[in-house]
Amino acid sequence: MAFRNFKMVGYVVYGRGSFNQLDEIIAPHRKTNAPMIFLVDHFFNGKDLAVRVPIKGNDKIIYVDVTYEPKTTYVDSLAQQLKDEFGTVSGVIGIGGGSAMDLAKAVGLMMNNSGSSADYQGWDLVKQPGVYKVGIPTLSGTGAEVSRTTVLTGPTKKLGMNSDFTPFDQIILDPELTANAPANQRFYTGMDCYIHCIESLTGTYLNEFSKSYGEKALQLCRDVYVNKDTWDADSDDKLMMASYAGGMSIAYSQVGVAHAVSYGLSYLLGTKHGVGNCIVFDKLQDYYPEGVKEFKLMVAKNNIDIPQHICANLSDDDFNKMIDVSLGMKPLWENALGKEWEKIMTREKLRKLYEQL
């Protein structure tokens, strides 16, 4: 096709308290004797939010471990567990940050696709629609609620299940759920959105669709992290919409150098996506000079710690693994550096970049 014909999220509800409508929203999608499965970030185990989940009949809450980003083995074991216990399910609902939502998308797909989720890491490899999927973010910034991928670490690579079957059928955007998030974590995921915008708006794939969403998301990020001196409910509202718009911006373009490099960190070291992007972006003044300058201002203003020297003791083999993963993200490099990107970003140059981190 000359133009990308991409799938968007089916339904969106936004507003403070909209989580309370979850039962009503999922009711028409319930199938006899097939439960709704709620994959909830383990952070909420024993907390008030878990009590509010509308359990009916043989529905099940599974508290998912998101200490590390989702692995294909974890996705496969969750899907097999549900198949063994229930045969089929009515739907999968992810409640949490980007990792919890990515798990929900991946498990929902693997309920109706054979083999391992590792078989579907790439672009347009998923052949069958998954079960009904709902995403409910409790952190803002990743854009996982609107993206057509679910980022997974597999046996040989870190790569998403990028497909038209991946997006959620329904998302619930309730800023109340993001209140009281830990400040560092909130910053790291918020910067994921900021970096989405910088990479999209300066990329070779840029078009008016991406630009419109990206510029709005960038302004919202600046409102929150540059123009405000305290965090309040308005900050939660704005960052949630920045996350949505930032995700939409890259839906019709791509991200760039920071994401491509951070994928290598995550694959080898288990570095979580948001903080990994911050660690990398902090050193990318040669590629995004204005963005990095503003990023450093936001880090200082918000008293955030960006980890340093995490690659200090790695072996040659370690560096080569990260470089292999990173250079495999071809659309990201092309968006950042153009069609001749392989002549610009050599293995030697990428090695020097990793050595700075």
Side-chain angles (χ1 to χ4, degrees):
M1 279 190 175
F3 298 95
R4 286 188 59 208
N5 186 20
F6 72 92
K7 176 72 171 66
M8 296 169 68
V9 169
Y11 288 88
V12 181
V13 59
Y14 169 84
R16 293 186 158 267
S18 58
F19 181 80
N20 296 329
Q21 291 176 218
L22 178 57
D23 188 26
E24 178 185 348
I25 286 169
I26 65 177
H29 301 277
R30 290 185 176 277
K31 298 174 182 174
T32 306
N33 298 324
M36 287 289 181
I37 306 300
F38 300 88
L39 301 185
V40 181
D41 185 326
H42 67 254
F43 173 82
F44 293 106
N45 193 354
K47 302 245 181 12
D48 290 345
L49 181 61
V51 179
R52 296 170 60 196
V53 174
I55 296 291
K56 297 276 182 73
N58 59 346
D59 289 354
K60 186 168 189 170
I61 293 182
I62 300 176
Y63 291 103
V64 289
D65 187 349
V66 293
T67 305
Y68 301 102
E69 292 192 321
K71 291 182 167 58
T72 54
T73 49
Y74 191 29
V75 171
D76 295 345
S77 69
L78 285 170
Q80 194 59 53
Q81 173 189 336
L82 295 175
K83 289 174 184 176
D84 291 344
E85 186 172 355
F86 301 110
T88 188
V89 300
S90 291
V92 179
I93 295 138
I95 304 175
S99 291
M101 288 189 287
D102 277 351
L103 272 172
K105 287 189 278 190
V107 171
L109 289 173
M110 293 313 299
M111 293 305 297
N112 288 347
N113 286 275
S114 60
S116 166
S117 51
D119 300 334
Y120 304 101
Q121 285 183 281
W123 279 267
D124 300 307
L125 300 176
V126 181
K127 302 304 179 189
Q128 300 295 329
V131 297
Y132 176 69
K133 305 184 297 299
V134 181
I136 306 174
T138 61
L139 279 169
S140 294
T142 68
E145 63 273 20
V146 293
S147 77
R148 76 185 295 271
T149 190
T150 167
V151 181
L152 303 175
T153 301
T156 61
K157 55 195 169 189
K158 180 184 173 185
L159 190 59
M161 299 167 72
N162 298 270
S163 82
D164 283 348
F165 298 123
T166 305
F168 285 115
D169 300 290
Q170 171 79 58
I171 59 174
I172 295 176
L173 304 178
D174 184 345
E176 284 183 356
L177 302 184
T178 67
N180 304 317
N184 263 25
Q185 185 61 50
R186 184 173 61 202
F187 184 85
Y188 297 147
T189 56
M191 285 302 100
D192 189 15
C193 177
Y194 177 81
I195 294 166
H196 283 164
C197 297
I198 297 297
E199 291 180 320
S200 173
L201 290 169
T202 58
T204 63
Y205 288 8
L206 185 63
N207 52 70
E208 284 301 326
F209 186 100
S210 300
K211 188 178 178 185
S212 299
Y213 281 106
E215 288 178 342
K216 183 60 179 177
L218 188 60
Q219 183 56 57
L220 289 168
C221 286
R222 286 172 174 156
D223 286 349
V224 170
Y225 289 111
V226 178
N227 300 334
K228 293 172 75 79
D229 294 319
T230 56
W231 197 274
D232 56 17
D234 177 67
S235 306
D236 288 324
D237 292 352
K238 286 182 172 175
L239 194 59
M240 181 159 275
M241 289 317 301
S243 179
Y244 178 88
M248 288 298 296
S249 176
I250 59 172
Y252 214 91
S253 63
Q254 258 301 348
V255 284
V257 178
H259 279 73
V261 177
S262 75
Y263 270 59
L265 293 179
S266 178
Y267 177 77
L268 184 78
L269 302 175
T271 311
K272 297 197 84 168
H273 185 68
V275 68
N277 279 343
C278 290
I279 291 168
V280 178
F281 198 71
D282 192 48
K283 310 298 184 187
L284 294 185
Q285 55 274 3
D286 290 347
Y287 301 92
Y288 309 106
E290 293 304 315
V292 173
K293 181 180 178 183
E294 187 170 52
F295 169 78
K296 289 178 181 292
L297 182 154
M298 291 187 286
V299 169
K301 178 173 175 130
N302 292 276
N303 299 312
I304 301 297
D305 297 317
I306 305 298
Q308 305 289 327
H309 312 302
I310 66 170
C311 295
N313 300 311
L314 299 183
S315 66
D316 287 343
D317 187 49
D318 290 335
F319 279 112
N320 283 326
K321 283 179 183 173
M322 291 196 298
I323 290 167
D324 287 341
V325 168
S326 180
L327 292 179
M329 310 305 294
K330 295 180 180 180
L332 283 64
W333 287 112
E334 184 176 315
N335 179 52
L337 304 176
K339 292 188 181 298
E340 301 291 308
W341 69 268
E342 288 172 287
K343 295 178 182 176
I344 302 169
M345 185 50 69
T346 62
R347 294 184 70 87
E348 295 73 26
K349 195 169 186 178
L350 187 51
R351 166 75 182 250
K352 287 179 180 175
L353 179 51
Y354 273 121
E355 286 173 348
Q356 295 179 52
L357 306 181

